[in-house]
Amino acid sequence: MSDPTTHPITPLPYQADFEALEDGEAETERALSETLHKINEIVRKDEGHAYRSVHAKSHGLLFGELQVAAGLPSMLAQGVFATPASYPVVMRLSTVPGDLLDDSVSTPRGLGMKIIGVPGERLPGSQADVTQDFLMVNGPVFSAPTAKKFLGTLKLLASSTDKLPGLKKALSATLRGLESLIEKAGGESGTLKALGGHPETNILGETFYTQVPMLFGPYMGKLQLVPVSPELTALTDAPVDLHDRPHGLRDAVVEHFSHSGGTWELRVQLCTDLQAMPIEDASVQWPEDQSPFVTVARIVAAPQVAWSDARSAAVDDGMSFSPWHGLAAHRPIGSVMRVRKAVYAMAARYRSEHNATQVQEPRSLTALPD
Ligand code: HEM
């Protein structure tokens, strides 16, 4: 990370021809929706409630304040970050599977962020709202280069939803062993982590990434959310005991926020070179030596009840997070981002249709319940 006022990069202005529709993209989008709908149906039959078809389980539902940094240079003062204002923000911590697994099946972690009351021209489909969502996972790159390649992985995940949770638990313990061997050897295996081999660490210590690009005013960028206050950085890689504690991740978050708060920095990495930082290949990590992440805002959360049934009704059931809820200045780009528009809209509709609580975009928020 470098100082936003002095970093020496020259961002590349966006041009429409940096994006190219993937072969059969409309069909990929349809098949993704169909597969995710299938997961929705399986889990609803099991649980009697409609959950997200991925990131079903929440581990923390946090309320905080996003403070845009003052004095940003014009290349960084874009979209939400155009003026040094403060906004209420909701953060939903999750893990990837679409079913409600015991936390000892340890998988990659997600964070949905909803900033409320942002001014500016809006994305198509989001004109009536006042929110800006950013969705992140705790790794720098997406598991597949394109939407079509991702469809293959997702079909595999769909076929394992609901299959023998006991077996998944045993498998996870074995995979974690393998993962630590690979990490000792200097590598890292996304597949092992996705299948349940993620290290059993406190979710509050994680750094999260949007992984895929969006417009950043006239430029293009990816975002990162980094814990910076000592009480959060102490939790990075800190082990959490998930043995016989099916909701151990959530318990650790609730325990932390019962006495402490936290501060994160929200950082952007701007694209400076299309070859090194492609838009249509989500599996390439943009090199930080060519374009470092720089801080554009911070998020502060005070001690609070970080998860409760009332919060779950308000956020898990009553809200949806989508990269297409937001400003035109942050339009999602690249095939993975494009197909998410229809898919997330379908997913929110499904939950509205099957649960008592309607999914709605909040227009204002002073705090969450509890
Ligand atoms: C083609 C690629 C992708 C598809 C089809 C997809 C699909 C979905 C769907 C259907 C949901 C549930 C939405 C709901 O029920 O409201 C979801 C949630 C989520 N996705 Fe994705 N996703 C994709 C890529 C990504 C990427 C690249 C990230 C971030 C790096 C991401 C992060 C998340 C997060 C954090 C959530 C949970 C949001 C919440 O708390 O409500 N997804 N995704």
Side-chain angles (χ1 to χ4, degrees):
M1 213 253 317
S2 66
D3 179 344
T5 53
T6 57
H7 77 287
I9 62 151
T10 308
L12 193 65
Y14 170 81
Q15 292 177 27
D17 64 359
F18 292 170
E19 285 190 88
L21 275 192
E22 194 181 11
D23 221 19
E25 193 166 300
E27 169 54 22
T28 301
E29 185 182 288
R30 196 202 53 74
L32 280 168
S33 279
E34 190 183 284
T35 311
L36 287 158
H37 184 263
K38 221 178 269 169
I39 299 178
N40 274 144
E41 290 276 86
I42 295 170
V43 176
R44 187 171 62 88
K45 282 202 187 98
D46 272 6
E47 305 280 348
H49 189 85
Y51 290 92
R52 285 162 177 74
S53 46
V54 285
H55 297 269
K57 190 168 178 182
S58 66
H59 305 286
L61 302 166
L62 296 171
F63 176 75
E65 185 179 76
L66 178 130
Q67 302 162 348
V68 177
L72 291 175
S74 69
M75 76 170 87
L76 299 175
Q78 302 292 339
V80 173
F81 313 100
T83 50
S86 291
Y87 304 101
V89 64
V90 176
M91 295 193 290
R92 178 178 183 271
L93 291 158
S94 59
T95 34
V96 169
D99 40 7
L100 303 179
L101 300 174
D102 187 317
D103 287 349
S104 66
V105 183
S106 186
T107 59
R109 289 93 189 261
L111 183 141
M113 178 192 303
K114 190 179 289 298
I115 309 164
I116 299 160
V118 301
E121 189 199 333
R122 305 214 35 102
L123 286 167
S126 176
Q127 287 95 343
D129 306 327
V130 295
T131 48
Q132 172 67 57
D133 296 358
F134 295 123
L135 279 70
M136 304 186 185
V137 168
N138 68 328
V141 289
F142 192 52
S143 57
T146 66
K148 193 188 247 178
K149 286 266 162 55
F150 177 61
L151 177 61
T153 316
L154 188 72
K155 283 185 169 160
L156 200 82
L157 207 94
S159 67
S160 77
T161 300
D162 190 36
K163 295 264 165 64
L164 304 171
L167 185 69
K168 269 196 205 164
K169 246 168 106 169
L171 191 66
S172 170
T174 316
L175 292 174
R176 253 194 318 278
L178 266 179
E179 184 69 26
S180 49
L181 279 180
I182 290 174
E183 283 179 354
K184 277 194 196 106
E188 194 180 272
S189 161
T191 312
L192 290 191
K193 283 187 175 167
L195 286 172
H198 192 285
E200 295 188 343
T201 51
N202 194 309
I203 194 169
L204 289 174
E206 299 287 357
T207 291
F208 291 93
Y209 302 80
T210 57
Q211 298 185 334
V212 278
M214 68 194 77
L215 293 184
F216 200 80
Y219 311 115
M220 300 157 284
K222 296 185 180 183
L223 300 180
Q224 178 193 56
L225 185 76
V226 188
V228 292
S229 56
E231 65 273 27
L232 290 185
T233 56
L235 301 177
T236 300
D237 297 329
V240 167
D241 182 9
L242 301 178
H243 182 69
D244 283 338
R245 296 178 67 209
H247 307 302
L249 286 179
R250 179 185 300 164
D251 295 346
V253 174
V254 169
E255 194 282 323
H256 174 87
F257 276 97
S258 69
H259 51 76
S260 298
T263 304
W264 293 259
E265 283 183 3
L266 187 57
R267 300 174 183 167
V268 65
Q269 180 185 37
L270 295 177
C271 175
T272 56
D273 167 359
L274 209 55
Q275 298 307 314
M277 307 176 204
I279 301 305
E280 292 291 357
D281 186 342
S283 66
V284 173
Q285 185 170 0
W286 290 7
E288 291 185 47
D289 54 348
Q290 273 180 259
S291 181
F293 281 98
V294 291
T295 301
V296 287
R298 53 182 216 153
I299 294 178
V300 180
Q304 58 191 289
V305 178
W307 199 97
S308 67
D309 288 337
R311 283 196 172 193
S312 179
V315 181
D316 289 337
D317 290 350
M319 291 184 194
S320 80
F321 296 76
S322 163
W324 286 88
H325 295 156
L327 300 179
H330 299 304
R331 178 166 61 79
I333 52 177
S335 76
V336 168
M337 279 296 222
R338 285 190 300 271
V339 299
R340 289 168 82 187
K341 183 168 194 278
V343 172
Y344 283 66
M346 175 284 295
R349 260 195 320 274
Y350 181 88
R351 292 191 286 114
S352 266
E353 276 165 25
H354 293 285
N355 291 337
T357 309
Q358 294 296 297
V359 175
Q360 280 170 343
E361 279 303 275
R363 295 199 59 80
S364 68
L365 196 67
T366 43
L368 289 176
D370 292 314

